[in-house]
Coordinates of all heavy atoms in Angstrom, one line a residue:
G15 N -10.0 -124.9 66.9 CA -9.1 -124.5 65.8 C -7.7 -124.2 66.4 O -7.5 -124.1 67.6
E16 N -6.8 -124.1 65.5 CA -5.4 -123.8 65.9 C -5.0 -122.4 65.7 O -3.9 -122.0 65.9 CB -4.4 -124.7 65.1 CG -4.6 -126.2 65.4 CD -4.4 -126.5 66.9 OE1 -3.3 -126.5 67.4 OE2 -5.4 -126.8 67.6
D17 N -6.0 -121.6 65.2 CA -5.8 -120.1 65.1 C -6.9 -119.4 65.8 O -8.0 -120.0 65.9 CB -5.9 -119.7 63.6 CG -4.6 -120.2 62.8 OD1 -3.8 -120.8 63.4 OD2 -4.6 -119.9 61.6
I18 N -6.7 -118.2 66.2 CA -7.8 -117.3 66.6 C -7.7 -116.2 65.6 O -6.7 -115.8 65.2 CB -7.7 -116.9 68.1 CG1 -6.4 -116.2 68.4 CG2 -8.0 -118.0 69.0 CD1 -6.3 -115.6 69.8
T19 N -8.9 -115.7 65.3 CA -9.0 -114.5 64.4 C -9.5 -113.3 65.2 O -10.4 -113.4 65.9 CB -10.0 -114.8 63.2 OG1 -9.5 -116.0 62.6 CG2 -10.0 -113.7 62.3
I20 N -8.8 -112.2 65.0 CA -9.1 -111.0 65.7 C -9.6 -110.0 64.6 O -8.9 -109.7 63.7 CB -7.9 -110.4 66.4 CG1 -7.4 -111.4 67.4 CG2 -8.3 -109.1 67.1 CD1 -6.1 -111.0 68.0
N21 N -10.8 -109.5 64.8 CA -11.3 -108.5 63.9 C -11.4 -107.2 64.7 O -11.9 -107.1 65.8 CB -12.7 -108.9 63.4 CG -12.7 -110.1 62.5 OD1 -12.0 -110.1 61.5 ND2 -13.4 -111.1 62.9
I22 N -10.8 -106.1 64.1 CA -10.7 -104.9 64.8 C -11.2 -103.8 63.8 O -11.2 -103.9 62.6 CB -9.2 -104.5 65.2 CG1 -8.3 -104.6 64.0 CG2 -8.8 -105.5 66.3 CD1 -6.9 -104.0 64.3
S23 N -11.5 -102.6 64.4 CA -11.9 -101.5 63.6 C -10.6 -100.8 63.1 O -9.6 -101.0 63.7 CB -12.8 -100.5 64.4 OG -12.0 -100.0 65.4
N24 N -10.8 -100.1 62.0 CA -9.6 -99.4 61.5 C -9.0 -98.4 62.5 O -7.8 -98.2 62.4 CB -10.0 -98.5 60.2 CG -9.9 -99.3 59.0 OD1 -9.0 -100.1 58.9 ND2 -10.7 -99.1 58.0
S25 N -9.7 -98.0 63.4 CA -9.2 -97.0 64.4 C -8.1 -97.6 65.3 O -7.3 -96.9 65.9 CB -10.3 -96.4 65.3 OG -10.9 -97.5 66.0
I26 N -8.1 -98.9 65.4 CA -7.0 -99.5 66.2 C -6.0 -100.3 65.4 O -5.3 -101.2 66.0 CB -7.5 -100.3 67.5 CG1 -8.4 -101.4 67.1 CG2 -8.2 -99.3 68.4 CD1 -8.7 -102.3 68.3
K27 N -5.9 -100.1 64.1 CA -4.9 -100.8 63.3 C -3.5 -100.4 63.9 O -3.3 -99.3 64.4 CB -5.0 -100.3 61.9 CG -5.6 -101.5 61.0 CD -6.1 -101.0 59.7 CE -5.0 -101.0 58.7 NZ -5.6 -100.8 57.3
N28 N -2.6 -101.4 63.8 CA -1.3 -101.2 64.3 C -1.2 -101.2 65.8 O -0.3 -100.7 66.4 CB -0.5 -100.0 63.7 CG -0.4 -100.2 62.2 OD1 -0.1 -101.3 61.7 ND2 -0.6 -99.1 61.5
A29 N -2.3 -101.7 66.4 CA -2.3 -101.8 67.9 C -1.5 -103.0 68.4 O -1.6 -104.1 67.8 CB -3.7 -101.9 68.4
P30 N -0.7 -102.9 69.4 CA 0.0 -104.0 69.9 C -0.9 -104.9 70.7 O -1.9 -104.5 71.3 CB 1.0 -103.4 70.9 CG 0.5 -102.1 71.2 CD -0.4 -101.6 70.1
Y31 N -0.7 -106.2 70.6 CA -1.5 -107.2 71.4 C -0.5 -108.1 72.2 O 0.6 -108.3 71.8 CB -2.4 -108.0 70.5 CG -1.7 -109.1 69.7 CD1 -1.5 -110.3 70.2 CD2 -1.3 -108.8 68.4 CE1 -0.8 -111.3 69.5 CE2 -0.6 -109.8 67.7 CZ -0.4 -111.0 68.2 OH 0.3 -112.0 67.5
S32 N -1.1 -108.7 73.2 CA -0.4 -109.8 73.9 C -1.4 -110.8 74.3 O -2.5 -110.6 74.5 CB 0.4 -109.2 75.1 OG -0.5 -108.6 76.0
I33 N -0.9 -112.1 74.5 CA -1.7 -113.2 75.0 C -1.0 -113.6 76.3 O 0.2 -113.9 76.3 CB -1.8 -114.3 74.0 CG1 -2.5 -113.9 72.7 CG2 -2.5 -115.5 74.6 CD1 -2.6 -114.9 71.6
A34 N -1.8 -113.7 77.3 CA -1.2 -114.0 78.7 C -2.0 -115.2 79.2 O -3.2 -115.4 78.9 CB -1.3 -112.8 79.6
T35 N -1.3 -115.9 80.1 CA -2.0 -117.0 80.9 C -2.8 -116.4 82.0 O -2.6 -115.2 82.3 CB -1.0 -118.0 81.4 OG1 -0.1 -117.3 82.4 CG2 -0.1 -118.6 80.3
V36 N -3.5 -117.2 82.7 CA -4.2 -116.7 83.9 C -3.3 -116.2 85.0 O -3.7 -115.4 85.8 CB -5.2 -117.8 84.5 CG1 -6.4 -118.0 83.6 CG2 -4.5 -119.1 84.7
T37 N -2.1 -116.7 85.0 CA -1.1 -116.2 86.0 C -0.4 -114.9 85.5 O 0.4 -114.4 86.3 CB 0.0 -117.3 86.3 OG1 0.6 -117.6 85.1 CG2 -0.7 -118.6 86.9
G38 N -0.7 -114.5 84.3 CA -0.1 -113.2 83.9 C 1.1 -113.4 83.0 O 1.7 -112.4 82.6
A39 N 1.6 -114.6 82.8 CA 2.8 -114.8 81.9 C 2.4 -114.5 80.5 O 1.4 -115.1 80.0 CB 3.3 -116.2 82.1
I40 N 3.2 -113.7 79.8 CA 2.9 -113.4 78.4 C 3.5 -114.5 77.5 O 4.7 -114.8 77.6 CB 3.6 -112.1 78.0 CG1 3.0 -111.0 79.0 CG2 3.4 -111.8 76.5 CD1 2.4 -109.8 78.4
V41 N 2.7 -115.1 76.7 CA 3.1 -116.3 75.9 C 3.3 -115.9 74.4 O 3.9 -116.6 73.6 CB 2.2 -117.5 76.0 CG1 2.3 -118.1 77.4 CG2 0.7 -117.1 75.8
K42 N 2.7 -114.8 74.0 CA 2.7 -114.4 72.6 C 2.4 -112.9 72.6 O 1.6 -112.4 73.3 CB 1.7 -115.2 71.8 CG 1.9 -115.2 70.3 CD 0.9 -116.2 69.7 CE 1.3 -117.6 69.7 NZ 2.3 -118.0 68.6
K43 N 3.1 -112.2 71.6 CA 2.8 -110.8 71.5 C 3.1 -110.4 70.0 O 3.8 -111.1 69.3 CB 3.6 -109.9 72.4 CG 5.0 -110.1 72.4 CD 5.9 -109.2 73.3 CE 5.2 -108.6 74.5 NZ 6.1 -107.9 75.4
G44 N 2.5 -109.3 69.6 CA 2.7 -108.8 68.2 C 1.9 -107.6 68.0 O 1.5 -106.9 68.9
T45 N 1.7 -107.3 66.7 CA 0.9 -106.1 66.3 C -0.2 -106.5 65.4 O 0.0 -107.3 64.5 CB 1.9 -105.1 65.7 OG1 3.0 -104.8 66.6 CG2 1.2 -103.8 65.4
L46 N -1.3 -105.9 65.6 CA -2.5 -106.1 64.7 C -2.4 -105.1 63.5 O -2.6 -104.0 63.7 CB -3.8 -105.9 65.4 CG -4.0 -106.8 66.7 CD1 -5.3 -106.4 67.4 CD2 -4.0 -108.2 66.3
T47 N -1.9 -105.6 62.4 CA -1.7 -104.8 61.2 C -2.8 -104.7 60.3 O -2.9 -103.8 59.5 CB -0.4 -105.2 60.5 OG1 -0.6 -106.6 60.1 CG2 0.8 -105.1 61.3
Q48 N -3.8 -105.6 60.4 CA -4.9 -105.6 59.5 C -6.2 -105.6 60.3 O -6.2 -105.9 61.4 CB -4.9 -106.8 58.5 CG -3.8 -106.6 57.5 CD -3.2 -108.0 57.1 OE1 -3.7 -109.0 57.5 NE2 -2.1 -107.9 56.4
Q49 N -7.3 -105.3 59.6 CA -8.6 -105.4 60.2 C -8.9 -106.8 60.7 O -9.6 -107.0 61.7 CB -9.7 -104.9 59.3 CG -9.9 -103.4 59.4 CD -11.1 -103.0 58.6 OE1 -11.0 -102.9 57.3 NE2 -12.2 -102.8 59.2
S50 N -8.4 -107.8 60.0 CA -8.6 -109.2 60.4 C -7.3 -109.8 60.5 O -6.5 -109.9 59.5 CB -9.5 -109.9 59.4 OG -9.7 -111.3 59.9
T51 N -6.9 -110.3 61.7 CA -5.6 -110.8 62.0 C -5.7 -112.2 62.5 O -6.5 -112.4 63.4 CB -4.8 -110.0 62.9 OG1 -4.7 -108.6 62.4 CG2 -3.4 -110.5 63.2
Q52 N -5.0 -113.2 61.9 CA -5.0 -114.5 62.5 C -3.8 -114.7 63.3 O -2.7 -114.4 62.9 CB -5.0 -115.6 61.3 CG -6.1 -115.5 60.4 CD -6.9 -116.7 60.4 OE1 -6.4 -117.8 60.4 NE2 -8.2 -116.6 60.3
I53 N -4.0 -115.3 64.5 CA -2.9 -115.6 65.4 C -2.9 -117.1 65.6 O -3.8 -117.7 66.0 CB -3.1 -114.9 66.8 CG1 -3.1 -113.4 66.6 CG2 -1.9 -115.3 67.7 CD1 -3.5 -112.6 67.8
A54 N -1.7 -117.7 65.3 CA -1.6 -119.2 65.5 C -1.4 -119.5 66.9 O -0.5 -118.9 67.6 CB -0.4 -119.6 64.7
I55 N -2.2 -120.4 67.4 CA -2.1 -120.7 68.9 C -1.8 -122.2 69.1 O -1.9 -122.7 70.2 CB -3.4 -120.3 69.6 CG1 -4.6 -120.9 69.0 CG2 -3.5 -118.8 69.7 CD1 -5.8 -120.8 69.9
Q56 N -1.4 -122.9 68.0 CA -1.2 -124.4 68.2 C 0.0 -124.7 69.2 O 0.0 -125.8 69.7 CB -1.0 -125.1 66.8 CG 0.3 -124.7 66.1 CD 0.1 -123.6 65.1 OE1 -0.8 -122.8 65.3 NE2 1.0 -123.5 64.2
D57 N 0.9 -123.7 69.4 CA 2.0 -124.0 70.3 C 1.6 -123.7 71.7 O 2.4 -123.9 72.6 CB 3.2 -123.1 69.8 CG 2.9 -121.7 69.7 OD1 1.7 -121.3 69.4 OD2 3.8 -120.8 69.8
L58 N 0.4 -123.2 72.0 CA 0.0 -123.0 73.4 C -0.6 -124.2 74.0 O -1.2 -125.0 73.3 CB -1.1 -121.9 73.4 CG -0.7 -120.5 72.9 CD1 -1.9 -119.5 73.1 CD2 0.5 -119.9 73.5
K59 N -0.4 -124.4 75.3 CA -1.0 -125.5 76.0 C -2.5 -125.3 76.1 O -2.9 -124.1 76.1 CB -0.3 -125.7 77.4 CG 1.1 -126.0 77.3 CD 1.6 -126.4 78.8 CE 3.0 -126.8 78.8 NZ 3.9 -125.7 79.0
S60 N -3.2 -126.3 76.4 CA -4.6 -126.2 76.6 C -4.8 -125.3 77.9 O -4.1 -125.4 78.8 CB -5.3 -127.5 76.8 OG -5.2 -128.3 75.6
G61 N -5.9 -124.5 77.9 CA -6.2 -123.7 79.1 C -6.8 -122.4 78.7 O -7.2 -122.2 77.6
V62 N -6.9 -121.5 79.7 CA -7.6 -120.2 79.5 C -6.5 -119.2 79.3 O -5.5 -119.2 80.0 CB -8.4 -119.9 80.8 CG1 -9.0 -118.5 80.7 CG2 -9.5 -120.9 81.0
Y63 N -6.8 -118.3 78.4 CA -5.8 -117.2 78.1 C -6.6 -115.9 78.0 O -7.8 -115.9 77.8 CB -5.1 -117.5 76.7 CG -4.2 -118.7 76.8 CD1 -4.7 -120.0 76.5 CD2 -2.9 -118.5 77.1 CE1 -3.8 -121.1 76.6 CE2 -2.0 -119.6 77.2 CZ -2.5 -120.9 76.9 OH -1.7 -122.0 77.0
F64 N -5.8 -114.8 78.1 CA -6.4 -113.5 77.9 C -5.6 -112.8 76.8 O -4.4 -112.7 76.8 CB -6.2 -112.7 79.2 CG -7.1 -113.3 80.3 CD1 -6.5 -114.2 81.2 CD2 -8.4 -113.0 80.5 CE1 -7.3 -114.8 82.2 CE2 -9.2 -113.6 81.5 CZ -8.6 -114.5 82.4
L65 N -6.4 -112.3 75.9 CA -5.9 -111.5 74.7 C -6.1 -110.1 75.1 O -7.2 -109.6 75.4 CB -6.6 -111.9 73.5 CG -6.4 -110.9 72.3 CD1 -5.0 -111.1 71.8 CD2 -7.4 -111.1 71.2
Q66 N -5.0 -109.3 75.1 CA -5.0 -107.9 75.5 C -4.6 -107.1 74.3 O -3.6 -107.4 73.7 CB -4.1 -107.6 76.7 CG -4.1 -106.2 77.1 CD -3.2 -106.0 78.3 OE1 -3.4 -106.6 79.3 NE2 -2.3 -105.1 78.2
I67 N -5.4 -106.1 73.9 CA -5.1 -105.2 72.8 C -5.0 -103.8 73.4 O -6.0 -103.4 74.1 CB -6.2 -105.3 71.7 CG1 -6.3 -106.7 71.2 CG2 -5.9 -104.3 70.6 CD1 -7.5 -106.9 70.3
N68 N -3.9 -103.1 73.1 CA -3.8 -101.7 73.6 C -3.9 -100.8 72.5 O -3.4 -101.0 71.4 CB -2.4 -101.6 74.2 CG -2.2 -102.5 75.4 OD1 -2.9 -102.4 76.4 ND2 -1.2 -103.4 75.3
N69 N -4.6 -99.7 72.7 CA -4.7 -98.6 71.7 C -4.9 -97.3 72.5 O -4.8 -97.2 73.7 CB -5.8 -98.9 70.7 CG -7.2 -98.7 71.3 OD1 -7.4 -98.8 72.5 ND2 -8.2 -98.4 70.5
Q70 N -5.0 -96.2 71.7 CA -5.1 -94.9 72.3 C -6.3 -94.8 73.3 O -6.2 -94.0 74.2 CB -5.3 -93.8 71.2 CG -4.3 -93.8 70.1 CD -4.6 -94.8 68.9 OE1 -5.3 -95.8 69.1 NE2 -4.1 -94.5 67.8
K71 N -7.3 -95.5 73.0 CA -8.5 -95.4 73.9 C -8.4 -96.3 75.1 O -9.3 -96.3 76.0 CB -9.8 -95.8 73.1 CG -10.1 -94.8 72.0 CD -11.4 -95.1 71.4 CE -11.8 -94.1 70.3 NZ -11.3 -94.6 69.0
G72 N -7.4 -97.1 75.2 CA -7.2 -97.9 76.4 C -6.9 -99.4 76.1 O -6.4 -99.7 75.0
R73 N -7.3 -100.2 76.9 CA -7.0 -101.6 76.9 C -8.2 -102.5 76.7 O -9.2 -102.3 77.4 CB -6.3 -102.0 78.2 CG -5.8 -103.4 78.3 CD -5.3 -103.6 79.7 NE -4.4 -102.6 80.2 CZ -3.7 -102.8 81.3 NH1 -3.8 -103.8 82.1 NH2 -2.8 -101.8 81.7
H74 N -8.2 -103.4 75.8 CA -9.3 -104.3 75.6 C -8.8 -105.7 76.0 O -7.8 -106.1 75.4 CB -9.8 -104.3 74.1 CG -10.1 -103.0 73.6 ND1 -11.3 -102.4 73.8 CD2 -9.3 -102.0 73.0 CE1 -11.3 -101.2 73.2 NE2 -10.1 -100.9 72.8
I75 N -9.5 -106.4 76.8 CA -9.1 -107.8 77.2 C -10.2 -108.8 76.8 O -11.4 -108.5 77.2 CB -8.8 -107.8 78.7 CG1 -7.6 -106.9 79.0 CG2 -8.4 -109.3 79.1 CD1 -7.2 -106.8 80.4
N76 N -9.8 -109.8 76.1 CA -10.8 -110.9 75.8 C -10.2 -112.2 76.3 O -9.0 -112.5 76.2 CB -10.9 -111.0 74.2 CG -11.6 -109.8 73.6 OD1 -12.7 -109.5 74.1 ND2 -11.0 -109.2 72.6
R77 N -11.1 -113.0 76.9 CA -10.7 -114.3 77.4 C -11.1 -115.3 76.4 O -12.1 -115.2 75.7 CB -11.6 -114.5 78.7 CG -11.4 -115.8 79.4 CD -12.3 -115.8 80.6 NE -12.3 -117.0 81.3 CZ -13.0 -118.1 81.0 NH1 -13.8 -118.0 80.0 NH2 -12.9 -119.2 81.6
F78 N -10.2 -116.3 76.2 CA -10.5 -117.4 75.3 C -9.9 -118.7 75.9 O -9.1 -118.7 76.8 CB -10.0 -117.2 73.9 CG -8.5 -117.2 73.7 CD1 -7.9 -118.4 73.3 CD2 -7.8 -116.0 73.9 CE1 -6.5 -118.4 73.1 CE2 -6.4 -116.0 73.7 CZ -5.8 -117.2 73.3
V79 N -10.5 -119.8 75.4 CA -10.0 -121.1 75.9 C -9.4 -121.9 74.8 O -10.0 -122.0 73.7 CB -11.2 -121.9 76.5 CG1 -10.7 -123.3 76.9 CG2 -11.8 -121.2 77.7
K80 N -8.2 -122.4 75.0 CA -7.5 -123.2 74.0 C -7.8 -124.7 74.4 O -7.6 -125.1 75.5 CB -6.0 -123.0 74.0 CG -5.2 -124.1 73.3 CD -5.2 -123.9 71.8 CE -4.1 -124.6 71.1 NZ -3.8 -126.0 71.4
E81 N -8.5 -125.4 73.5 CA -8.9 -126.8 73.8 C -7.6 -127.7 73.9 O -6.7 -127.5 73.2 CB -9.8 -127.4 72.7 CG -11.1 -126.6 72.6 CD -12.0 -126.7 73.9 OE1 -12.0 -127.8 74.5 OE2 -12.6 -125.7 74.2

């Protein structure tokens, strides 16, 4: 798909997120304003990325692959 969907609990609403390459370059960032947020990734090149979400409890990192 050309979007990834992020589902979060209410406790981390309005949490900032960033998407980075394996080399650490940030390619996209924003704020998760709803429990389910769609992020368009069609402009990213194929490869492995890391989605990082920051909140009061710390940092959550998810790895995903863009085909």
Side-chain angles (χ1 to χ4, degrees):
E16 295 301 287
D17 288 0
I18 54 173
T19 302
I20 304 171
N21 294 302
I22 57 169
S23 66
N24 268 328
S25 62
I26 60 170
K27 252 162 88 167
N28 298 318
Y31 75 84
S32 60
I33 295 176
T35 65
V36 285
T37 58
I40 303 234
V41 291
K42 202 173 272 280
K43 53 176 25 171
T45 304
L46 303 175
T47 54
Q48 288 146 12
Q49 273 186 279
S50 181
T51 302
Q52 299 241 322
I53 301 174
I55 56 168
Q56 68 266 22
D57 51 334
L58 301 183
K59 295 189 177 94
S60 297
V62 177
Y63 293 89
F64 294 94
L65 168 71
Q66 178 175 307
I67 301 169
N68 297 301
N69 72 335
Q70 303 87 336
K71 297 190 178 86
R73 181 189 308 190
H74 306 272
I75 297 179
N76 291 308
R77 180 180 174 275
F78 71 93
V79 177
K80 164 79 161 50
E81 297 295 323

